[in-house]
Amino acid sequence: MTSRPCPHPVNEGNGCIYLGTISDLSAGPFRALGVPVTRAQRAFWDRVNRRGGIGGHDVDVVTYVRDSRYDPRRHVRAYDEIKGRVLALAQTLGSPTTDAILDALRADEVVAVPASFPSRWEFEDVILESGASYCFEGMNAVDYAAREFRARTVMAVYFPGDYGDDAVGGVRRAAAARGLSFSEVRTGRAARSIDAAVAAIVRRKPDLVFLSVGPAETGAVAAKAVARGFRGGSWATARRGTRGCSRRRRGGRSRGGT
């Protein structure tokens, strides 16, 4: 924060608040998420600035944007490069990448907004959450499918790790609470792993398929399952790489998420 104007000031006489962004913007597995999120945040703060800014300051979310490619080591280097120059991080994309800088955020007393939603962020003082956790999204999806589509069988297809494990935990708990049949399939990004997940979906024909995978894998699993004749009741996805927790009905109609 400085009394000097931002590099591209909107309001004459305003100082500048710099916010940092460390995202996946080029070569990582979640660039399909990182790029639009970064653009959206820029649009949000541009609107704030056009309405006068905050406390006599414009907000700059452009100067300190860094691409970590979803690599924890690059993420640490990016944070080391911009710390001391930004008031907070408007975005730090990913759980393992944010974990890599978490101790530094605590020591520097810098607040960060992760573009990731594991349940444990609720217990971190330097983390500002911007939505429901993967676990809650899983619970919400099961509740919705059971109530709206009368789903009785649920399958979770997920990446192992903070993202998938947190989401599948919510799906598992909600299915048990509602007395639904539950199964799970761990998968990866390799074509062989995707094909194995598709085979499990086609074989078991669940009423609800909950996906906690990347954006590319989400499309691949759904397209291949349908191509192989799957006509299940509904699909749901955790937020990462998707538009919230989207749900698709029989016949292709969709419902917005949480």
Side-chain angles (χ1 to χ4, degrees):
M1 179 185 292
T2 175
S3 59
R4 295 187 296 275
C6 293
H8 302 285
V10 176
N11 299 286
E12 185 176 355
N14 270 9
C16 190
I17 296 172
Y18 291 98
L19 300 178
T21 292
I22 311 175
S23 193
D24 182 358
L25 302 174
S26 62
F30 293 104
R31 60 188 178 277
L33 173 64
V35 171
V37 167
T38 302
R39 288 175 179 167
Q41 289 183 323
R42 181 173 181 175
F44 172 83
W45 289 111
D46 180 62
R47 183 180 66 176
V48 170
N49 289 337
R50 286 187 282 107
R51 293 180 176 180
I54 297 178
H57 293 77
D58 289 345
V59 179
D60 180 307
V61 290
V62 177
T63 300
Y64 297 108
V65 173
R66 299 294 184 268
D67 180 13
S68 71
R69 304 182 186 179
Y70 204 72
D71 180 329
R73 289 173 296 181
R74 288 178 181 270
H75 215 83
V76 170
R77 289 198 296 269
Y79 177 73
D80 287 343
E81 181 182 331
I82 67 176
K83 69 178 182 180
R85 304 179 184 183
V86 298
L87 180 64
L89 295 183
Q91 181 196 153
T92 166
L93 189 142
S95 302
T97 47
T98 301
D99 264 335
I101 62 171
L102 191 55
D103 285 342
L105 292 173
R106 294 179 186 132
D108 299 335
E109 297 183 337
V110 171
V111 172
V113 182
S116 66
F117 304 88
S119 302
R120 57 194 174 81
W121 287 160
E122 298 176 19
F123 307 99
E124 290 291 344
D125 291 339
V126 295
I127 295 296
L128 182 62
E129 296 173 282
S130 59
S133 69
Y134 302 129
C135 181
F136 284 175
E137 285 192 338
M139 293 179 181
N140 289 341
V142 172
D143 283 345
Y144 186 89
R147 183 178 68 249
E148 298 294 326
F149 311 143
R150 298 181 180 178
R152 303 302 302 166
T153 57
V154 179
M155 176 183 287
V157 178
Y158 66 102
F159 283 164
D162 276 349
Y163 170 40
D165 290 343
D166 201 66
V168 78
V171 175
R172 185 187 298 112
R173 283 176 175 269
R178 284 187 168 269
L180 308 184
S181 174
F182 171 77
S183 59
E184 61 185 76
V185 178
R186 290 178 55 162
T187 190
R189 296 187 178 92
R192 182 178 299 178
S193 294
I194 296 299
D195 288 343
V198 170
I201 293 170
V202 173
R203 182 174 66 255
R204 299 178 188 175
K205 298 180 176 58
D207 296 328
L208 171 67
V209 181
F210 189 90
L211 300 174
S212 305
V213 294
E217 293 77 20
T218 295
V221 169
K224 289 184 176 184
V226 170
R228 291 184 56 178
F230 177 66
R231 297 294 183 269
S234 52
W235 297 82
T237 58
R239 181 183 293 108
R240 178 177 293 179
T242 67
R243 294 180 59 192
C245 190
S246 63
R247 302 170 184 86
R248 188 162 297 278
R249 290 176 175 267
R250 291 184 203 272
R253 294 174 60 192
S254 63
R255 283 289 180 94
T258 56

